[in-house]
Amino acid sequence: MVEIILYTLILCYPFLLWKTFADAGYKSWQAFVPIYNYVIWLKITQKRFYWFILWLIPFINIFIVFLLTVDTARCYGKFKLRQLALAVFFPFIYFPHLELSDKEYFTPPDKLKPPKKSKTREWVDSLIWAGVAAFIIRTFMIELYMIPTSSMENSLLVGDYLFVSKMAYGSKAPGTPLAIPFVHNTMPMTESTNSYVEWIKLPYHRFPGFGKVKRYDDVVFNYPTGDTVILERRADDYYRAVRNIGRDKIWKNYTVISRPIDKEEHYVKRCVGIAGDTLLIDNHKLYINGKLMEDPKGLQYMYKIHTKDGPLSKRQLDQLPLSSESKGYYTESAKYYQYGLLPLTQEVADKIATFSNVSSVEAMLTPAGTPDTDIFPFDTSLFHWNVDNFGPLYIPEAGATVPLTKENIALYRRIIEVYEKNTLKIEGDNILINGEPATTYTFRMNYYWMMGDNRHNSLDSRYWGFVPENHVVGKASFVFFSLDKDKSWFGKIRFGRLFKKAP
């Protein structure tokens, strides 16, 4: 429905210019013929035909309409910044005023004599239009994202700058459109000042994209449990802190805020389960719909490194393709145990096993049936799941219906209450949704299961559950730039990763 309204407005936009069409030597009725009116409008503003090709591209056409609007206003001798702003933001008022006024005259672009601009004005105009173009591109097409943690190592490294395609799955309409451009959720140089206001909130809508989320895509999304944030403990998940500390203590001792979906923090993980899948993790191994899945290249687990006479030396650690963060795990753990911990691929683990002072290299594995209170759905009385043994779990698909019982309600409670905005109560053996008894539930959105390739060092769906489709931002397309924080000067640049396709 939103696309229909938007494209209808774009097609009908030249209706405003029927008098301009006549003043330019064309027929007034031509302004009322969709698509053809743009061909004439381009002739009036003396643009080449490739502009029409650009107008056919979604989102680009919005920018094309803005430029044509500005050029048309200039044909009426309007060159001042405030006049052009009026034409862009209030065309339904401004153009009828220009066309019907006895004091305003249309002049073809090639006969215009624009006023001379100062260098400052030229720079200001250039910056404004460059900013508008960049804002449209960032909002609807692509965005730059930097990898902050090692949860996807070795597939994506800390310091990688990704180009994220928002058109891959379809761009989302901004949920909170009143925001400072190019700032995500907090104003620069401040700790907690929001970069947006919630006076206007738009419903979730996704425009058509090039495809759908596929299994094993690298997906950027809004952190699902980032709707509530502890300002003094931003690195902590609010809901996890509440489970461990208690809600009353959190609200008494800290500042708690809420955020709309599009202002929640960005995460990047690998989508291992799509809507309609049934997922199972059995002793590290991932099964989807009963089929063993192939491990992504570079998959890592945490390993125990047992040595014969003292820990691994710095020289030995430097031989390994590890970040300083990973090496830190080893040096810290070696202080307290008879071994050190390292996140490793199988290949690197086999290499360490050849070191003369290493007695064994053992992959860490939490046995099946050992419940972890931090693992979704956080009900250890019914779900004895952990990071290495998890499921089976059905990943909801839009339109699918599941039975609801007191035994499985923990799996879907957040979906029902938070993501799909229903009220849910349990009274005795009865489950009430929106005040009505419910034995089943039909999902309204698709959901996904995201996991990091650094499996023992990744805050992912195992810790907070499903990712709703309205949280999906885009697909990681390629590494635009990459900096190694452990190196210095030009050594920081990972030249081998520049413009590398996301794995």
Side-chain angles (χ1 to χ4, degrees):
M1 176 60 81
V2 174
E3 289 113 321
I4 294 174
I5 294 173
L6 178 61
Y7 294 138
T8 300
L9 288 173
I10 290 175
L11 288 172
C12 295
Y13 192 95
F15 291 6
L16 299 170
L17 305 176
W18 62 273
K19 183 78 166 50
T20 298
F21 275 46
D23 291 343
Y26 294 89
K27 303 296 185 182
S28 297
W29 61 262
Q30 292 174 318
F32 297 97
V33 182
I35 301 178
Y36 180 64
N37 52 17
Y38 274 91
V39 175
I40 302 301
W41 195 8
L42 289 172
K43 291 181 178 180
I44 291 172
T45 53
Q46 299 178 0
K47 295 289 187 291
R48 295 183 182 276
F49 183 73
Y50 70 81
W51 279 65
F52 183 74
I53 304 300
L54 294 174
W55 175 79
L56 295 174
I57 302 173
F59 312 119
I60 295 293
N61 53 18
I62 298 173
F63 189 51
I64 295 298
V65 170
F66 284 166
L67 292 176
L68 291 175
T69 299
V70 168
D71 284 350
T72 305
R74 286 172 174 163
C75 288
Y76 283 95
K78 306 305 174 186
F79 293 94
K80 294 182 179 179
L81 192 59
R82 66 175 182 275
Q83 294 170 330
L84 298 178
L86 284 171
V88 169
F89 295 110
F90 302 100
F92 298 97
I93 299 173
Y94 197 60
F95 278 113
H97 162 72
L98 294 178
E99 293 176 322
L100 299 176
S101 174
D102 294 334
K103 298 179 181 179
E104 306 292 349
Y105 299 95
F106 178 87
T107 304
D110 58 351
K111 295 182 180 179
L112 284 173
K113 294 182 179 179
K116 292 183 178 180
K117 298 180 182 179
S118 66
K119 289 293 184 182
T120 302
R121 171 64 190 277
E122 289 180 355
W123 273 101
V124 170
D125 285 356
S126 298
L127 289 173
I128 288 174
W129 293 117
V132 170
F135 176 74
I136 293 174
I137 291 171
R138 182 179 184 271
T139 301
F140 297 109
M141 300 179 66
I142 57 174
E143 185 171 356
L144 197 63
Y145 174 80
M146 193 271 285
I147 301 293
T149 71
S150 60
S151 67
M152 287 293 289
E153 202 171 89
N154 282 307
S155 303
L156 297 171
L157 305 182
V158 175
D160 279 352
Y161 287 82
L162 301 175
F163 260 5
V164 179
S165 171
K166 295 186 174 183
M167 299 180 70
Y169 309 130
S171 303
K172 292 192 296 182
T176 48
L178 299 181
I180 302 297
F182 311 112
V183 179
H184 184 46
N185 52 34
T186 305
M187 291 294 291
M189 311 299 291
T190 69
E191 291 291 328
S192 59
T193 303
N194 288 340
S195 62
Y196 59 92
V197 293
E198 298 184 67
W199 300 339
I200 298 176
K201 291 185 179 181
L202 300 180
Y204 165 65
H205 176 76
R206 189 177 295 277
F207 295 98
F210 295 133
K212 297 181 179 180
V213 178
K214 297 182 178 64
R215 196 177 296 114
Y216 276 28
D217 278 358
D218 292 318
V219 179
V220 175
F221 54 93
N222 296 111
Y223 182 39
T225 55
D227 56 347
T228 309
V229 178
I230 307 171
L231 285 181
E232 295 85 356
R233 301 175 55 160
R234 297 187 193 199
D236 292 345
D237 183 291
Y238 166 78
Y239 297 96
R240 182 180 184 182
V242 166
R243 290 193 299 272
N244 294 333
I245 300 173
R247 186 183 186 281
D248 291 343
K249 288 185 179 179
I250 292 293
W251 282 77
K252 180 180 179 180
N253 298 310
Y254 300 102
T255 305
V256 179
I257 65 168
S258 62
R259 283 179 177 159
I261 292 172
D262 60 329
K263 298 303 177 183
E264 294 168 2
E265 295 296 338
H266 287 154
Y267 270 46
V268 59
K269 306 288 179 188
R270 191 175 301 282
C271 177
V272 300
I274 60 176
D277 283 346
T278 296
L279 174 142
L280 172 69
I281 302 172
D282 183 8
N283 291 333
H284 288 175
K285 297 299 182 181
L286 175 66
Y287 293 82
I288 298 294
N289 302 325
K291 180 182 178 181
L292 177 63
M293 304 304 292
E294 183 179 351
D295 289 339
K297 186 179 180 180
L299 189 71
Q300 293 189 157
Y301 292 103
M302 196 70 76
Y303 283 78
K304 296 180 181 179
I305 314 297
H306 295 264
T307 54
K308 301 173 184 177
D309 52 358
L312 295 177
S313 66
K314 183 178 183 302
R315 181 182 60 82
Q316 288 176 309
L317 289 173
D318 288 343
Q319 293 179 34
L320 307 174
L322 301 172
S323 65
S324 59
E325 179 180 344
S326 297
K327 294 173 186 176
Y329 280 109
Y330 180 82
T331 54
E332 284 299 313
S333 57
K335 293 178 182 178
Y336 302 103
Y337 307 106
Q338 298 301 312
Y339 55 83
L341 297 174
L342 278 175
L344 305 171
T345 62
Q346 185 62 56
E347 181 182 8
V348 177
D350 292 341
K351 179 178 180 180
I352 293 176
T354 65
F355 290 175
S356 59
N357 63 328
V358 172
S359 57
S360 67
V361 180
E362 175 189 358
M364 292 187 67
L365 176 67
T366 305
T370 306
D372 186 336
T373 57
D374 282 334
I375 294 296
F376 178 84
F378 323 114
D379 184 347
T380 55
S381 64
L382 294 173
F383 301 93
H384 299 169
W385 296 350
N386 57 59
V387 70
D388 297 318
N389 287 277
F390 185 99
L393 174 67
Y394 172 72
I395 303 170
E397 182 178 21
T401 300
V402 295
L404 291 183
T405 66
K406 291 177 66 176
E407 286 71 33
N408 73 352
I409 191 64
L411 298 173
Y412 305 114
R413 183 163 198 155
R414 183 169 174 83
I415 287 179
I416 296 170
E417 288 187 304
V418 179
Y419 302 143
E420 302 197 354
K421 301 186 184 307
N422 301 283
T423 61
L424 188 150
K425 292 182 180 179
I426 299 177
E427 295 181 353
D429 292 330
N430 296 320
I431 297 173
L432 304 179
I433 297 179
N434 299 324
E436 298 292 329
T439 57
T440 62
Y441 184 77
T442 301
F443 301 100
R444 298 199 293 267
M445 284 194 292
N446 289 320
Y447 293 83
Y448 304 96
W449 197 261
M450 309 289 183
M451 289 171 59
D453 290 350
N454 194 355
R455 290 286 165 83
H456 282 149
N457 189 27
S458 173
L459 183 63
D460 54 35
S461 284
R462 292 169 295 177
Y463 292 90
W464 30 255
F466 307 104
V467 175
E469 66 176 50
N470 64 354
H471 283 59
V472 173
V473 173
K475 181 180 181 180
S477 298
F478 62 91
V479 178
F480 170 71
F481 191 63
S482 186
L483 290 175
D484 188 341
K485 64 183 178 63
D486 298 329
K487 301 292 179 63
S488 58
W489 298 98
F490 289 108
K492 282 182 172 291
I493 302 176
R494 301 185 182 108
F495 289 99
R497 295 189 65 78
L498 303 189
F499 300 102
K500 182 178 180 181
K501 186 178 183 297

